[in-house]
Amino acid sequence: MHVNSFPLGPLGTNSYILDNGIEALAIDVGGDPADMLAFLSRNNLKLLAILITHRHFDHLYGVAALQKVLDVPCYLPSGEDVLRDSEAAQGGIWGMPMVPAFSETSLSEGSTRIGSFEITVLNTPGHTPGSVSYYIREAGCVFTGDALFYRSVGRTDFPMGDHQKLLASIRENLFTLPPETIVYPGHGPQSSIGDERQHNPFVGDFA
């Protein structure tokens, strides 16, 4: 499997395409998806769905545009419903643009299959109340949204953020993954579970 990153939108959100050479998934779409669409077309990939790690505006800006072209479902964590009507979800906060409306389907914790992809949905709340991470064992990677970053963790000063819950999510639900698992975060460079478990100054052994 292959993972390609597309930093999109006003906050340079890492938007990803995971593919197996035939089918593909998009994870978080933070802005104009033109580059993602060009990549899919150039590589003759069929996009099956969009997966969203949490309901913050900067991970949602490009969903409607991508759906308009490819008409694929968008899955959001069911625990994020409490944020649906907030500025953090709809946009407008800090003078940011509004998020165009898109169609969505709720997704709960556990394993699910989309096409040929087996996905484990891990609850990783703290940055937001219902944030999740997507673990794809076959690809040896996890998409952590804004829960875990390279040498950092997600901020928790937004409404309904919870720092202690975030640290527990990382320790209990992410750090139990195999150490070689590649971490693809919502912002910044990639890392690995083993590296963060050892060196992360907020939640790793270094702390």
Side-chain angles (χ1 to χ4, degrees), residues 7 9 19 44 50 61 72 110 120 143 160 162 172 181:
D19 78 86
N44 296 309
I50 302 165
Y61 275 135
V72 293
T120 302
F143 299 90
M160 292 185 275
D162 188 320
E172 297 168 11
T181 304

Side-chain angles (χ1 to χ4, degrees), residues 180-198:
E180 65 274 14
T181 304
I182 300 171
V183 173
Y184 291 108
H187 304 273
Q190 70 185 57
S191 186
S192 73
I193 290 295
D195 188 85
E196 295 307 314
R197 196 160 61 195
Q198 184 175 3

Side-chain angles (χ1 to χ4, degrees), residues 13-89:
T13 302
N14 289 335
S15 308
Y16 296 100
I17 290 178
L18 168 71
D19 78 86
N20 59 12
I22 300 171
E23 297 175 326
L25 299 172
I27 299 93
D28 291 342
V29 188
D32 182 353
D35 289 346
M36 300 178 84
L37 287 164
F39 177 85
L40 292 166
S41 177
R42 187 166 63 248
N43 292 280
N44 296 309
L45 298 170
K46 179 182 180 181
L47 187 68
L48 301 181
I50 302 165
L51 303 176
I52 300 298
T53 57
H54 64 289
R55 201 184 276 275
H56 276 169
F57 65 93
D58 60 311
H59 294 249
L60 303 174
Y61 275 135
V63 173
L66 194 53
Q67 285 186 327
K68 184 176 181 180
V69 176
L70 296 180
D71 191 26
V72 293
C74 177
Y75 295 97
L76 277 94
S78 56
E80 292 287 271
D81 287 350
V82 294
L83 291 178
R84 188 189 303 272
D85 297 326
S86 69
E87 276 191 331

